[in-house]
Amino acid sequence: MAEQQEPVIWMRPEQAPVGRRAERSRAEITAAAVELADREGLEAVSMRRVASILGTGAASLYRYVATRDELLDLMTDSTASEYHLPAPSGDWQADLLTLARQARQIMRRHPWLPTMVMGRPTLGPHGIDLLEHVLDVLADHPADPACKLEAFALISGLTALFVQNERAATDTSATRRSAYLRHVAAAGSHPRITALLAACTSDGNPGDRFDVVVVRALTGVLG
Amino acid sequence: MAEQQEPVIWMRPEQAPVGRRAERSRAEITAAAVELADREGLEAVSMRRVASILGTGAASLYRYVATRDELLDLMTDSTASEYHLPAPSGDWQADLLTLARQARQIMRRHPWLPTMVMGRPTLGPHGIDLLEHVLDVLADHPADPACKLEAFALISGLTALFVQNERAATDTSATRRSAYLRHVAAAGSHPRITALLAACTSDGNPGDRFDVVVVRALTGVLG
DNA sequence: CCCATTCGCATACAGTGTTCGCGAACCATG
DNA sequence: CATGGTTCGCGAACACTGTATGCGAATGGG
């Protein structure tokens, strides 16, 4: 009778207590999907392709996952297990910066992660562990709980922004973008842009602003 | 013979100099797509639906746009025309904060914009005007040109993060999220989260941290 | 007037997420 | 050991999607 499936996948049991046993596990499916996304990008992760990698039929995946988006959630949360979470040192700024640096590394490993983190933020078991760690680091900090949550979201979000930005600069899209910028500069109606393009070609690139921006943004939310 | 279409839509002429005249304009198509996205979300913007709104066939849209993603680019850039760009006041922090506040308002008007800005940053004619204005505000600022570009990207990106966050808090997804959080808290293995949930229900929500975070992040990139 | 060129669009193709239904596998119970 | 109730695997189908192709209609310069 009463169906009422649990709305979040993490609250549903992975295996039913009775009936035929599942031949695969969520972790197995997630790993295949992550590997595929790492290799060919997020839009290559279709139910049929993931299924064929696992050697099963596409419809079988729906025994493990209610929808494709849930599979993506599994992928996102699985990357949160790649963090190394040392005990708090007492300097919360340093500890959170360490976390942000790790996030940057992880997102570089998984090019699809920034899109995921920004467009579909998810808290699974591993994300929960990460949140617990952040709260532990901020245990003695006298800020509203809501602000601490905001800080938690800001670390991954801001890092995702940075990684995406530095990837867009090395992309093939950068060529098109700069081509249009040069076109605009040549038109002459935007003097500041013209000047900026002239200055950019001569200068070397400046240092990495990641650490500074992250720390300052964090001190912004945490007061 | 030599085809070699311009890679960026903004560099292609909207109307061919010879031959039959187009019955619609890019602006007309863009407006229809934006209105549809405002009403039903980004994934409702399919070529067929936009075409049917305009009363044309789906394939006709490809005379105006090379691909769906280009249509999305048109939509994104069109929202950049909603900014009001007053002359620089001399206080660049105040001027950029004004811009960020406008971005926030615009992104609240168009719920699909944050996703777009973060996942597919685009610079069209209106975006160029915005960039020119930012560079004008920062004209006397002694920072690397690359840093100013980074600051420009940060304003929209960070604002998108904020808007998306505040929308996720009012969403139906918030119910599911907090349900899972309560589940974790009840399990007892994450004491910080348990404590945070207990504190959150009693407290009122704190003030809006948007202005502070934006300003501090900007001073982070601009030194 | 003619003709090169562009526009509108019906049709088709490959691919997508998801649902349905059925046979096979499993475990607890009789 | 047999019998149910339950779950699993999955072939087939449905409603979509973005996009390519080809052809008739419109257009304006020579």
Short mmCIF file of all heavy atoms in Angstrom, two decimals, chain A residues 14-76:
data_model
loop_
_atom_site.label_atom_id
_atom_site.label_comp_id
_atom_site.label_asym_id
_atom_site.label_seq_id
_atom_site.Cartn_x
_atom_site.Cartn_y
_atom_site.Cartn_z
N GLU A 14 20.14 0.70 0.25
CA GLU A 14 20.74 0.36 -1.04
C GLU A 14 20.24 -0.98 -1.54
O GLU A 14 20.05 -1.19 -2.73
CB GLU A 14 22.27 0.33 -0.91
CG GLU A 14 22.96 -0.03 -2.20
CD GLU A 14 24.42 0.37 -2.22
OE1 GLU A 14 24.91 0.91 -1.21
OE2 GLU A 14 25.06 0.14 -3.25
N GLN A 15 20.00 -1.89 -0.59
CA GLN A 15 19.55 -3.22 -0.99
C GLN A 15 18.30 -3.57 -0.21
O GLN A 15 18.25 -3.40 1.01
CB GLN A 15 20.65 -4.25 -0.70
CG GLN A 15 20.22 -5.69 -0.75
CD GLN A 15 20.36 -6.29 -2.14
OE1 GLN A 15 21.37 -6.13 -2.78
NE2 GLN A 15 19.33 -7.00 -2.59
N ALA A 16 17.28 -4.07 -0.89
CA ALA A 16 16.07 -4.49 -0.20
C ALA A 16 16.38 -5.71 0.67
O ALA A 16 17.20 -6.55 0.29
CB ALA A 16 14.97 -4.81 -1.21
N PRO A 17 15.75 -5.81 1.81
CA PRO A 17 16.03 -6.92 2.73
C PRO A 17 15.55 -8.26 2.20
O PRO A 17 16.05 -9.30 2.59
CB PRO A 17 15.29 -6.52 4.00
CG PRO A 17 14.21 -5.60 3.54
CD PRO A 17 14.74 -4.88 2.36
N VAL A 18 14.57 -8.22 1.32
CA VAL A 18 14.05 -9.49 0.76
C VAL A 18 14.13 -9.45 -0.75
O VAL A 18 14.36 -8.41 -1.35
CB VAL A 18 12.59 -9.73 1.19
CG1 VAL A 18 12.50 -9.89 2.69
CG2 VAL A 18 11.69 -8.61 0.70
N GLY A 19 13.91 -10.57 -1.37
CA GLY A 19 13.90 -10.63 -2.82
C GLY A 19 15.26 -10.90 -3.40
O GLY A 19 16.25 -11.06 -2.69
N ARG A 20 15.31 -10.90 -4.69
CA ARG A 20 16.54 -11.19 -5.42
C ARG A 20 17.64 -10.17 -5.09
O ARG A 20 17.36 -8.98 -4.93
CB ARG A 20 16.22 -11.14 -6.91
CG ARG A 20 17.38 -11.36 -7.83
CD ARG A 20 16.82 -11.41 -9.25
NE ARG A 20 17.85 -11.33 -10.24
CZ ARG A 20 17.58 -11.38 -11.55
NH1 ARG A 20 16.33 -11.47 -11.96
NH2 ARG A 20 18.56 -11.32 -12.42
N ARG A 21 18.88 -10.59 -5.02
CA ARG A 21 19.96 -9.68 -4.66
C ARG A 21 20.44 -8.88 -5.86
O ARG A 21 20.53 -9.41 -6.97
CB ARG A 21 21.13 -10.47 -4.07
CG ARG A 21 20.87 -10.93 -2.65
CD ARG A 21 22.17 -11.12 -1.87
NE ARG A 21 21.96 -12.11 -0.80
CZ ARG A 21 22.50 -13.33 -0.83
NH1 ARG A 21 23.26 -13.70 -1.83
NH2 ARG A 21 22.27 -14.17 0.17
N ALA A 22 20.75 -7.63 -5.61
CA ALA A 22 21.24 -6.78 -6.69
C ALA A 22 22.63 -7.25 -7.12
O ALA A 22 23.43 -7.68 -6.29
CB ALA A 22 21.31 -5.33 -6.22
N GLU A 23 22.90 -7.17 -8.42
CA GLU A 23 24.17 -7.67 -8.93
C GLU A 23 25.26 -6.61 -8.85
O GLU A 23 26.44 -6.90 -8.96
CB GLU A 23 24.00 -8.12 -10.39
CG GLU A 23 23.02 -9.28 -10.53
CD GLU A 23 22.91 -9.74 -11.98
OE1 GLU A 23 23.56 -9.13 -12.86
OE2 GLU A 23 22.15 -10.69 -12.23
N ARG A 24 24.85 -5.35 -8.70
CA ARG A 24 25.83 -4.27 -8.62
C ARG A 24 25.54 -3.38 -7.42
O ARG A 24 24.50 -3.53 -6.77
CB ARG A 24 25.83 -3.46 -9.92
CG ARG A 24 26.85 -3.95 -10.93
CD ARG A 24 26.47 -3.55 -12.34
NE ARG A 24 25.34 -4.31 -12.84
CZ ARG A 24 25.46 -5.45 -13.53
NH1 ARG A 24 26.63 -5.91 -13.79
NH2 ARG A 24 24.38 -6.09 -13.94
N SER A 25 26.43 -2.47 -7.16
CA SER A 25 26.25 -1.56 -6.02
C SER A 25 26.24 -0.12 -6.53
O SER A 25 26.66 0.18 -7.64
CB SER A 25 27.40 -1.74 -5.03
OG SER A 25 28.60 -1.26 -5.59
N ARG A 26 25.73 0.77 -5.69
CA ARG A 26 25.75 2.19 -6.04
C ARG A 26 27.17 2.66 -6.30
O ARG A 26 27.44 3.39 -7.25
CB ARG A 26 25.17 3.01 -4.88
CG ARG A 26 23.66 3.06 -4.87
CD ARG A 26 23.17 3.89 -3.70
NE ARG A 26 21.76 3.63 -3.43
CZ ARG A 26 21.13 4.00 -2.34
NH1 ARG A 26 21.79 4.66 -1.39
NH2 ARG A 26 19.85 3.74 -2.19
N ALA A 27 28.09 2.21 -5.44
CA ALA A 27 29.49 2.65 -5.58
C ALA A 27 30.05 2.25 -6.94
O ALA A 27 30.74 3.04 -7.60
CB ALA A 27 30.32 2.06 -4.45
N GLU A 28 29.73 1.03 -7.36
CA GLU A 28 30.22 0.52 -8.63
C GLU A 28 29.71 1.39 -9.78
O GLU A 28 30.48 1.81 -10.66
CB GLU A 28 29.73 -0.91 -8.78
CG GLU A 28 30.59 -1.83 -9.61
CD GLU A 28 30.06 -3.27 -9.51
OE1 GLU A 28 29.39 -3.59 -8.50
OE2 GLU A 28 30.31 -4.05 -10.43
N ILE A 29 28.41 1.64 -9.77
CA ILE A 29 27.81 2.46 -10.82
C ILE A 29 28.38 3.87 -10.79
O ILE A 29 28.72 4.45 -11.83
CB ILE A 29 26.27 2.48 -10.62
CG1 ILE A 29 25.72 1.07 -10.84
CG2 ILE A 29 25.63 3.49 -11.55
CD1 ILE A 29 24.25 0.95 -10.53
N THR A 30 28.49 4.43 -9.59
CA THR A 30 29.03 5.78 -9.45
C THR A 30 30.45 5.86 -10.00
O THR A 30 30.78 6.80 -10.73
CB THR A 30 29.03 6.19 -7.97
OG1 THR A 30 27.72 6.03 -7.44
CG2 THR A 30 29.47 7.63 -7.82
N ALA A 31 31.26 4.87 -9.67
CA ALA A 31 32.65 4.88 -10.14
C ALA A 31 32.70 4.87 -11.66
O ALA A 31 33.48 5.62 -12.27
CB ALA A 31 33.39 3.66 -9.57
N ALA A 32 31.87 4.05 -12.28
CA ALA A 32 31.85 3.99 -13.74
C ALA A 32 31.45 5.34 -14.33
O ALA A 32 32.06 5.82 -15.28
CB ALA A 32 30.89 2.90 -14.21
N ALA A 33 30.43 5.94 -13.73
CA ALA A 33 29.95 7.24 -14.24
C ALA A 33 31.01 8.31 -14.07
O ALA A 33 31.23 9.13 -14.97
CB ALA A 33 28.65 7.63 -13.52
N VAL A 34 31.69 8.32 -12.92
CA VAL A 34 32.73 9.32 -12.68
C VAL A 34 33.86 9.17 -13.68
O VAL A 34 34.33 10.16 -14.28
CB VAL A 34 33.27 9.19 -11.24
CG1 VAL A 34 34.56 9.96 -11.07
CG2 VAL A 34 32.23 9.69 -10.24
N GLU A 35 34.27 7.94 -13.90
CA GLU A 35 35.37 7.70 -14.84
C GLU A 35 34.99 8.17 -16.23
O GLU A 35 35.78 8.81 -16.94
CB GLU A 35 35.72 6.21 -14.84
CG GLU A 35 37.06 5.90 -15.47
CD GLU A 35 37.27 4.39 -15.62
OE1 GLU A 35 36.35 3.63 -15.25
OE2 GLU A 35 38.33 4.00 -16.10
N LEU A 36 33.74 7.88 -16.62
CA LEU A 36 33.27 8.31 -17.93
C LEU A 36 33.25 9.83 -18.03
O LEU A 36 33.69 10.42 -19.03
CB LEU A 36 31.87 7.74 -18.19
CG LEU A 36 31.20 8.18 -19.49
CD1 LEU A 36 32.04 7.82 -20.69
CD2 LEU A 36 29.81 7.57 -19.60
N ALA A 37 32.76 10.47 -16.99
CA ALA A 37 32.69 11.94 -17.00
C ALA A 37 34.08 12.56 -17.04
O ALA A 37 34.33 13.56 -17.73
CB ALA A 37 31.91 12.45 -15.79
N ASP A 38 35.01 11.96 -16.30
CA ASP A 38 36.38 12.46 -16.32
C ASP A 38 36.96 12.40 -17.73
O ASP A 38 37.71 13.28 -18.15
CB ASP A 38 37.27 11.62 -15.37
CG ASP A 38 36.97 11.93 -13.91
OD1 ASP A 38 36.28 12.92 -13.63
OD2 ASP A 38 37.44 11.16 -13.05
N ARG A 39 36.62 11.34 -18.44
CA ARG A 39 37.21 11.11 -19.75
C ARG A 39 36.53 11.91 -20.85
O ARG A 39 37.18 12.49 -21.70
CB ARG A 39 37.15 9.61 -20.08
CG ARG A 39 38.39 9.10 -20.79
CD ARG A 39 38.35 7.60 -21.03
NE ARG A 39 37.54 6.87 -20.07
CZ ARG A 39 36.44 6.18 -20.42
NH1 ARG A 39 36.02 6.20 -21.66
NH2 ARG A 39 35.77 5.52 -19.49
N GLU A 40 35.16 11.96 -20.83
CA GLU A 40 34.46 12.52 -21.97
C GLU A 40 33.49 13.65 -21.62
O GLU A 40 32.75 14.10 -22.48
CB GLU A 40 33.69 11.41 -22.72
CG GLU A 40 34.57 10.26 -23.16
CD GLU A 40 33.81 9.29 -24.04
OE1 GLU A 40 32.86 9.73 -24.71
OE2 GLU A 40 34.16 8.09 -24.05
N GLY A 41 33.46 14.04 -20.36
CA GLY A 41 32.59 15.16 -19.99
C GLY A 41 31.24 14.72 -19.48
O GLY A 41 30.82 13.58 -19.68
N LEU A 42 30.54 15.67 -18.86
CA LEU A 42 29.28 15.35 -18.20
C LEU A 42 28.19 14.89 -19.16
O LEU A 42 27.44 13.97 -18.86
CB LEU A 42 28.77 16.60 -17.44
CG LEU A 42 28.72 16.51 -15.93
CD1 LEU A 42 27.82 17.60 -15.39
CD2 LEU A 42 28.23 15.15 -15.48
N GLU A 43 28.11 15.52 -20.31
CA GLU A 43 27.00 15.19 -21.21
C GLU A 43 27.18 13.83 -21.86
O GLU A 43 26.27 13.32 -22.51
CB GLU A 43 26.82 16.28 -22.27
CG GLU A 43 27.93 16.39 -23.28
CD GLU A 43 28.90 17.52 -22.91
OE1 GLU A 43 28.88 17.98 -21.74
OE2 GLU A 43 29.65 17.95 -23.78
N ALA A 44 28.36 13.24 -21.68
CA ALA A 44 28.55 11.87 -22.18
C ALA A 44 27.96 10.86 -21.22
O ALA A 44 27.80 9.69 -21.56
CB ALA A 44 30.04 11.60 -22.40
N VAL A 45 27.66 11.31 -20.00
CA VAL A 45 27.10 10.41 -18.99
C VAL A 45 25.61 10.23 -19.24
O VAL A 45 24.79 10.94 -18.68
CB VAL A 45 27.35 10.94 -17.57
CG1 VAL A 45 26.75 10.01 -16.53
CG2 VAL A 45 28.84 11.10 -17.32
N SER A 46 25.27 9.32 -20.11
CA SER A 46 23.86 8.99 -20.34
C SER A 46 23.61 7.62 -19.72
O SER A 46 24.53 6.82 -19.53
CB SER A 46 23.54 8.96 -21.83
OG SER A 46 24.13 7.85 -22.45
N MET A 47 22.37 7.36 -19.41
CA MET A 47 22.02 6.10 -18.78
C MET A 47 22.51 4.93 -19.63
O MET A 47 23.07 3.95 -19.12
CB MET A 47 20.51 6.02 -18.59
CG MET A 47 19.94 7.16 -17.74
SD MET A 47 20.70 7.32 -16.13
CE MET A 47 19.61 6.29 -15.14
N ARG A 48 22.33 5.04 -20.93
CA ARG A 48 22.70 3.93 -21.82
C ARG A 48 24.20 3.69 -21.84
O ARG A 48 24.67 2.55 -21.81
CB ARG A 48 22.17 4.21 -23.23
CG ARG A 48 20.69 3.84 -23.37
CD ARG A 48 20.16 4.16 -24.77
NE ARG A 48 19.17 5.24 -24.71
CZ ARG A 48 17.86 5.05 -24.70
NH1 ARG A 48 17.37 3.84 -24.73
NH2 ARG A 48 17.04 6.07 -24.65
N ARG A 49 24.97 4.79 -21.84
CA ARG A 49 26.42 4.61 -21.90
C ARG A 49 26.95 4.04 -20.59
O ARG A 49 27.78 3.14 -20.59
CB ARG A 49 27.10 5.95 -22.21
CG ARG A 49 26.95 6.33 -23.67
CD ARG A 49 28.13 7.14 -24.16
NE ARG A 49 29.40 6.42 -24.04
CZ ARG A 49 30.56 6.93 -24.39
NH1 ARG A 49 30.62 8.17 -24.84
NH2 ARG A 49 31.67 6.24 -24.26
N VAL A 50 26.47 4.57 -19.48
CA VAL A 50 26.90 4.04 -18.19
C VAL A 50 26.54 2.57 -18.09
O VAL A 50 27.34 1.74 -17.66
CB VAL A 50 26.27 4.84 -17.03
CG1 VAL A 50 26.58 4.18 -15.70
CG2 VAL A 50 26.77 6.27 -17.04
N ALA A 51 25.34 2.25 -18.52
CA ALA A 51 24.89 0.86 -18.45
C ALA A 51 25.78 -0.03 -19.31
O ALA A 51 26.19 -1.12 -18.89
CB ALA A 51 23.44 0.76 -18.89
N SER A 52 26.10 0.43 -20.51
CA SER A 52 26.90 -0.41 -21.40
C SER A 52 28.30 -0.62 -20.85
O SER A 52 28.92 -1.65 -21.06
CB SER A 52 26.93 0.22 -22.80
OG SER A 52 28.04 1.08 -22.92
N ILE A 53 28.83 0.39 -20.16
CA ILE A 53 30.13 0.21 -19.51
C ILE A 53 30.06 -0.88 -18.46
O ILE A 53 30.96 -1.70 -18.32
CB ILE A 53 30.58 1.54 -18.86
CG1 ILE A 53 30.98 2.55 -19.94
CG2 ILE A 53 31.74 1.31 -17.90
CD1 ILE A 53 31.43 3.88 -19.39
N LEU A 54 28.95 -0.90 -17.74
CA LEU A 54 28.77 -1.91 -16.69
C LEU A 54 28.33 -3.26 -17.26
O LEU A 54 28.25 -4.24 -16.53
CB LEU A 54 27.74 -1.41 -15.67
CG LEU A 54 28.27 -0.66 -14.46
CD1 LEU A 54 29.04 0.59 -14.90
CD2 LEU A 54 27.12 -0.25 -13.56
N GLY A 55 28.02 -3.27 -18.54
CA GLY A 55 27.59 -4.52 -19.16
C GLY A 55 26.16 -4.91 -18.82
O GLY A 55 25.81 -6.07 -18.80
N THR A 56 25.32 -3.91 -18.56
CA THR A 56 23.92 -4.20 -18.22
C THR A 56 23.00 -3.44 -19.18
O THR A 56 23.45 -2.72 -20.05
CB THR A 56 23.60 -3.76 -16.79
OG1 THR A 56 23.34 -2.35 -16.79
CG2 THR A 56 24.75 -4.03 -15.86
N GLY A 57 21.71 -3.62 -19.00
CA GLY A 57 20.75 -2.86 -19.78
C GLY A 57 20.51 -1.50 -19.14
O GLY A 57 20.74 -1.32 -17.94
N ALA A 58 20.07 -0.55 -19.94
CA ALA A 58 19.90 0.82 -19.45
C ALA A 58 18.84 0.88 -18.36
O ALA A 58 19.00 1.58 -17.36
CB ALA A 58 19.54 1.74 -20.60
N ALA A 59 17.78 0.15 -18.55
CA ALA A 59 16.66 0.23 -17.60
C ALA A 59 17.05 -0.31 -16.23
O ALA A 59 16.43 0.02 -15.22
CB ALA A 59 15.46 -0.52 -18.15
N SER A 60 18.08 -1.16 -16.19
CA SER A 60 18.49 -1.74 -14.91
C SER A 60 18.96 -0.69 -13.94
O SER A 60 18.82 -0.83 -12.72
CB SER A 60 19.61 -2.76 -15.14
OG SER A 60 19.22 -3.69 -16.13
N LEU A 61 19.54 0.40 -14.47
CA LEU A 61 20.08 1.43 -13.59
C LEU A 61 18.99 2.03 -12.71
O LEU A 61 19.26 2.52 -11.61
CB LEU A 61 20.75 2.53 -14.41
CG LEU A 61 22.00 2.10 -15.18
CD1 LEU A 61 22.62 3.29 -15.90
CD2 LEU A 61 23.02 1.48 -14.24
N TYR A 62 17.76 1.99 -13.18
CA TYR A 62 16.67 2.61 -12.41
C TYR A 62 16.29 1.77 -11.19
O TYR A 62 15.42 2.17 -10.42
CB TYR A 62 15.47 2.85 -13.32
CG TYR A 62 15.71 4.00 -14.27
CD1 TYR A 62 16.24 3.79 -15.54
CD2 TYR A 62 15.45 5.32 -13.87
CE1 TYR A 62 16.48 4.84 -16.40
CE2 TYR A 62 15.70 6.37 -14.73
CZ TYR A 62 16.21 6.13 -15.99
OH TYR A 62 16.46 7.18 -16.82
N ARG A 63 16.94 0.62 -11.02
CA ARG A 63 16.79 -0.11 -9.76
C ARG A 63 17.69 0.47 -8.69
O ARG A 63 17.52 0.22 -7.50
CB ARG A 63 17.13 -1.58 -9.96
CG ARG A 63 16.20 -2.31 -10.91
CD ARG A 63 14.87 -2.61 -10.24
NE ARG A 63 13.93 -3.25 -11.18
CZ ARG A 63 12.66 -3.49 -10.88
NH1 ARG A 63 12.19 -3.14 -9.70
NH2 ARG A 63 11.88 -4.04 -11.78
N TYR A 64 18.66 1.26 -9.12
CA TYR A 64 19.64 1.80 -8.17
C TYR A 64 19.44 3.30 -7.96
O TYR A 64 19.86 3.87 -6.97
CB TYR A 64 21.06 1.55 -8.69
CG TYR A 64 21.39 0.10 -8.85
CD1 TYR A 64 21.04 -0.60 -10.00
CD2 TYR A 64 22.03 -0.58 -7.83
CE1 TYR A 64 21.34 -1.94 -10.14
CE2 TYR A 64 22.35 -1.93 -7.97
CZ TYR A 64 21.99 -2.60 -9.12
OH TYR A 64 22.28 -3.93 -9.26
N VAL A 65 18.77 3.92 -8.92
CA VAL A 65 18.71 5.38 -8.98
C VAL A 65 17.36 5.76 -9.56
O VAL A 65 16.91 5.16 -10.53
CB VAL A 65 19.87 5.86 -9.88
CG1 VAL A 65 19.46 7.07 -10.69
CG2 VAL A 65 21.11 6.14 -9.05
N ALA A 66 16.71 6.73 -8.94
CA ALA A 66 15.36 7.08 -9.40
C ALA A 66 15.40 7.89 -10.68
O ALA A 66 14.45 7.88 -11.46
CB ALA A 66 14.62 7.86 -8.31
N THR A 67 16.50 8.60 -10.91
CA THR A 67 16.57 9.47 -12.06
C THR A 67 18.03 9.75 -12.39
O THR A 67 18.92 9.49 -11.57
CB THR A 67 15.83 10.79 -11.80
OG1 THR A 67 15.84 11.57 -12.98
CG2 THR A 67 16.51 11.55 -10.69
N ARG A 68 18.28 10.27 -13.54
CA ARG A 68 19.66 10.57 -13.93
C ARG A 68 20.28 11.59 -12.98
O ARG A 68 21.45 11.47 -12.60
CB ARG A 68 19.71 11.11 -15.36
CG ARG A 68 21.10 11.56 -15.78
CD ARG A 68 21.11 12.02 -17.22
NE ARG A 68 22.44 12.40 -17.65
CZ ARG A 68 22.87 13.65 -17.70
NH1 ARG A 68 22.08 14.64 -17.33
NH2 ARG A 68 24.09 13.92 -18.12
N ASP A 69 19.50 12.59 -12.58
CA ASP A 69 20.02 13.60 -11.67
C ASP A 69 20.50 12.99 -10.36
O ASP A 69 21.47 13.45 -9.78
CB ASP A 69 18.95 14.66 -11.40
CG ASP A 69 18.78 15.60 -12.59
OD1 ASP A 69 19.63 15.56 -13.49
OD2 ASP A 69 17.81 16.38 -12.60
N GLU A 70 19.81 11.94 -9.92
CA GLU A 70 20.27 11.27 -8.71
C GLU A 70 21.63 10.62 -8.93
O GLU A 70 22.47 10.62 -8.02
CB GLU A 70 19.24 10.23 -8.26
CG GLU A 70 18.27 10.76 -7.23
CD GLU A 70 17.46 9.65 -6.59
OE1 GLU A 70 17.74 8.47 -6.84
OE2 GLU A 70 16.55 9.97 -5.82
N LEU A 71 21.84 10.08 -10.11
CA LEU A 71 23.16 9.51 -10.42
C LEU A 71 24.22 10.61 -10.36
O LEU A 71 25.32 10.41 -9.81
CB LEU A 71 23.14 8.86 -11.81
CG LEU A 71 24.48 8.35 -12.32
CD1 LEU A 71 25.10 7.35 -11.37
CD2 LEU A 71 24.33 7.73 -13.72
N LEU A 72 23.90 11.77 -10.89
CA LEU A 72 24.85 12.88 -10.83
C LEU A 72 25.12 13.28 -9.38
O LEU A 72 26.25 13.61 -9.02
CB LEU A 72 24.29 14.08 -11.61
CG LEU A 72 24.05 13.84 -13.11
CD1 LEU A 72 23.62 15.14 -13.80
CD2 LEU A 72 25.30 13.29 -13.77
N ASP A 73 24.08 13.23 -8.55
CA ASP A 73 24.28 13.53 -7.12
C ASP A 73 25.25 12.53 -6.50
O ASP A 73 26.13 12.90 -5.72
CB ASP A 73 22.94 13.48 -6.39
CG ASP A 73 22.05 14.67 -6.73
OD1 ASP A 73 22.57 15.65 -7.30
OD2 ASP A 73 20.85 14.62 -6.43
N LEU A 74 25.08 11.27 -6.85
CA LEU A 74 26.01 10.25 -6.34
C LEU A 74 27.43 10.57 -6.75
O LEU A 74 28.37 10.46 -5.95
CB LEU A 74 25.61 8.87 -6.88
CG LEU A 74 24.39 8.21 -6.27
CD1 LEU A 74 24.16 6.83 -6.90
CD2 LEU A 74 24.55 8.07 -4.77
N MET A 75 27.60 10.98 -8.00
CA MET A 75 28.94 11.31 -8.49
C MET A 75 29.53 12.47 -7.69
O MET A 75 30.67 12.42 -7.23
CB MET A 75 28.86 11.69 -9.97
CG MET A 75 28.49 10.55 -10.90
SD MET A 75 28.08 11.12 -12.56
CE MET A 75 29.63 11.85 -13.06
N THR A 76 28.74 13.52 -7.52
CA THR A 76 29.22 14.69 -6.78
C THR A 76 29.65 14.31 -5.38
O THR A 76 30.75 14.66 -4.93
CB THR A 76 28.12 15.76 -6.72
OG1 THR A 76 27.76 16.14 -8.05
CG2 THR A 76 28.61 16.99 -5.96
#
